[in-house]
């Protein structure tokens, strides 16, 4: 079945460091890909998404490119801030599968001042 | 921003209690979801309602009973829970045919 694999956390970085959180997927069909973020004490929020190969999603300085050839959707940010500390979830949805989102396990990110 | 609210935000209950979690969405969506998020497991989809009909029940124990009286409201009725049911319960909504789900802040449940 469809699945999402993302790098284990926690990831700890200093402020202004470059961030990469890896995400790969397996899916039959043509999924859309998402990154959701969960700040402490809150629910999940959509961070960015891409709906087809080579699309780049971007928001709040974060970017991810839908790479069909490597079945990847890695999350990147050039200069992280303390306020980026959160749990990040990679996810996919294939619209012919009853709109069910498949989430990765989440990667906890700690940014040190 | 969130158009999905959940109450209560925190709940402590004994194993013999009966309680209900409430979710309300103000986004005009027609699908709603319950997820369980615990420390040691990934997000688990529990139930899906589409157009007020249950379309998914992921082998959830019967001590969890969902109810969707209309497209804006979703409940999760709890009875005779176990300590391992302690978790964050998240509600989400979406518009059928569109991909993005919008989540509420969750109810943090502790079963003693």
């Amino acid at each position: 079945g469809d699945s999402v694999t993302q790098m284990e956390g926690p990831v700890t970085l200093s402020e202004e460091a470059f961030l990469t959180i890896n995400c790969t997927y397996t899916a039959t069909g043509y999924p859309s890909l998402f990154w959701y973020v969960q700040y402490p004490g809150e629910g999940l929020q959509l961070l960015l998404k891409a709906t087809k190969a080579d699309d780049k999603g971007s928001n709040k300085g974060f970017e991810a490119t839908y790479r069909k050839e490597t079945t990847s959707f890695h999350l990147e940010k050039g200069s992280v801030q303390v306020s980026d500390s959160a749990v990040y979830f990679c996810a996919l949805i294939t619209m012919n599968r009853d709109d069910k989102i498949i989430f990765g396990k989440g990667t906890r990110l700690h940014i040190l001042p | 921003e969130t158009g999905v609210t959940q109450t209560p935000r925190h709940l402590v209950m004994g194993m013999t209690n009966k309680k209900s979690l409430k979710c309300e969405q103000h986004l005009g969506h027609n699908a709603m979801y319950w997820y369980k998020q615990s420390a040691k497991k990934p997000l688990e989809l529990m139930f899906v309602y589409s157009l007020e009909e249950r379309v998914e029940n992921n082998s959830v124990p019967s001590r969890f009973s969902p109810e969707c009286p209309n497209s804006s409201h979703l409940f999760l009725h709890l009875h005779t829970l176990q300590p391992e049911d302690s978790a964050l319960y998240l509600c989400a909504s979406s518009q059928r045919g569109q991909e993005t789900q919008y989540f509420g802040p969750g109810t943090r449940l502790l079963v003693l």
Side-chain angles (χ1 to χ4, degrees):
Chain A
D2 296 356
S3 67
V4 174
T5 302
Q6 60 183 107
M7 62 191 292
E8 296 275 338
V11 174
T12 302
L13 295 172
S14 298
E15 204 166 22
E16 299 184 3
F18 184 87
L19 169 71
T20 301
I21 300 178
N22 289 338
C23 172
T24 57
Y25 67 90
T26 57
T28 55
Y30 302 95
S32 294
L33 303 174
F34 304 82
W35 278 100
Y36 279 83
V37 59
Q38 185 177 30
Y39 297 104
E42 298 183 15
L44 276 69
Q45 301 174 27
L46 179 66
L47 180 60
L48 54 85
K49 71 177 185 180
T51 58
K52 61 183 187 296
D54 300 324
D55 269 3
K56 177 186 284 188
S58 61
N59 186 24
K60 299 182 180 180
F62 291 89
E63 293 183 340
T65 301
Y66 190 143
R67 301 284 188 202
K68 189 176 179 183
E69 63 276 13
T70 54
T71 61
S72 65
F73 193 55
H74 305 321
L75 182 68
E76 297 182 336
K77 186 174 184 181
S79 176
V80 292
Q81 306 300 312
V82 172
S83 57
D84 293 326
S85 299
V87 181
Y88 292 81
F89 293 88
C90 186
L92 69 82
I93 189 169
T94 305
M95 293 305 291
N96 62 355
R97 298 291 177 89
D98 297 323
D99 299 0
K100 183 189 296 187
I101 287 185
I102 308 297
F103 285 95
K105 293 184 178 181
T107 302
R108 186 174 296 277
L109 176 64
H110 293 293
I111 305 300
L112 304 176
Chain B
E1 96 194 39
T2 176
V4 181
T5 58
Q6 290 186 242
T7 54
R9 293 293 309 274
H10 301 273
L11 179 62
V12 180
M13 58 188 290
M15 290 190 285
T16 58
N17 291 157
K18 289 184 179 181
K19 297 287 184 182
S20 295
L21 310 185
K22 179 182 176 182
C23 175
E24 185 172 1
Q25 60 94 2
H26 312 274
L27 300 169
H29 290 161
N30 55 16
M32 297 186 78
Y33 311 78
W34 279 117
Y35 289 87
K36 177 183 178 183
Q37 185 180 30
S38 53
K40 297 183 179 180
K41 289 186 176 182
L43 272 168
E44 302 172 69
L45 178 64
M46 299 175 72
F47 300 104
V48 179
Y49 276 82
S50 177
L51 302 172
E52 301 158 41
E53 290 189 14
R54 191 190 310 181
V55 297
E56 183 91 25
N57 176 347
N58 270 355
S59 303
V60 179
S62 59
R63 57 186 183 269
F64 296 91
S65 175
E67 179 190 1
C68 187
N70 55 61
S71 60
S72 298
H73 294 87
L74 184 66
F75 295 89
L76 188 62
H77 304 299
L78 316 171
H79 67 98
T80 59
L81 294 191
Q82 304 299 310
E84 60 264 29
D85 297 322
S86 299
L88 181 69
Y89 288 85
L90 292 164
C91 173
S93 72
S94 71
Q95 187 67 19
R96 290 283 291 177
Q98 297 182 13
E99 302 159 327
T100 304
Q101 291 185 11
Y102 295 83
F103 284 79
T107 295
R108 175 117 1 234
L109 173 66
L110 177 62
V111 181
L112 301 176

